[in-house]
Amino acid sequence: AADLVPWFGIEQEYTLFDSHNQQVYCWPQHGFPGPQGPYYCGVGADKVKGRKIVEAHYRACLYAGVMIGGSNAEVMPSQWEYQVGPCLGIDMGDHLWVSRYILQRCAEEFNVCVSFDPKPIEGDWNGAGCHTNVSTQAMREEGGMEHIIAAIEKMELSTWNT
């Protein structure tokens, strides 16, 4: 597979919690914030919570040589995502694990906990995932769309897709 020159990108979502890992960071003590919608890629103190943590994580990853490419607020308040990659082959695993460690350490400095739980809050609140993007050299070159379509067609035939 190495001759295909695969690149991987990961979108890691997470949720910030208070220092006791009991309540979502900066949510009302009793009840819930307003419904989802205005928080995604939000700006302003009424929309996003924890940006200082997110930016500290981003800068620490850059300093450590992690292939981080961006971050954004997610749909649920105090939920964030960052993107790692593109990385060649299995190097992605190292960059992802180190970025998670750095995130935990940065959050610790702010007395906040990080959850990678896929459904940290019950009810009509978005979950958090870890999405994978992959491409081969042929997919990234001129005429790459036909290689992308061929890969999709092969996945449609796989048993895990039933």
Side-chain angles (χ1 to χ4, degrees):
D3 60 319
L4 298 175
V5 194
W7 282 3
F8 292 90
I10 301 280
E11 301 171 26
Q12 176 66 70
E13 296 175 346
Y14 61 95
T15 308
L16 298 174
F17 278 81
D18 67 13
S19 62
H20 302 291
N21 214 13
Q22 299 295 312
Q23 181 174 337
V24 178
Y25 182 65
C26 291
W27 276 29
Q29 195 71 353
H30 303 286
F32 299 95
Q36 297 181 126
Y39 311 107
Y40 182 70
C41 295
V43 175
D46 60 332
K47 303 284 187 297
V48 297
K49 307 298 180 195
R51 188 178 303 278
K52 288 182 180 180
I53 300 165
V54 171
E55 290 182 354
H57 171 245
Y58 188 83
R59 288 185 182 109
C61 282
L62 288 175
Y63 183 79
V66 171
M67 295 289 294
I68 192 165
S71 64
N72 58 274
E74 270 297 331
V75 177
M76 185 175 79
S78 298
Q79 185 183 57
W80 292 85
E81 172 186 299
Y82 64 94
Q83 301 84 34
V84 178
C87 295
L88 182 61
I90 62 172
D91 288 348
M92 173 50 69
D94 294 335
H95 287 269
L96 180 63
W97 278 105
V98 170
S99 72
R100 287 175 177 168
Y101 170 78
I102 292 171
L103 176 59
Q104 297 279 2
R105 285 289 290 115
C106 287
E108 180 184 319
E109 292 296 317
F110 290 87
N111 204 29
V112 171
C113 295
V114 176
S115 171
F116 298 109
D117 188 314
K119 186 68 175 160
I121 301 297
E122 293 299 317
D124 190 26
W125 298 101
N126 270 30
C130 187
H131 310 108
T132 304
N133 304 294
V134 63
S135 67
T136 63
Q137 183 73 42
M139 292 175 179
R140 297 187 298 272
E141 292 177 344
E142 187 72 32
M145 185 55 82
E146 73 180 57
H147 296 279
I148 294 169
I149 292 169
I152 291 169
E153 289 171 349
K154 286 179 182 177
M155 287 189 281
E156 287 174 343
L157 299 174
S158 70
T159 57
W160 61 266
N161 196 29
T162 57

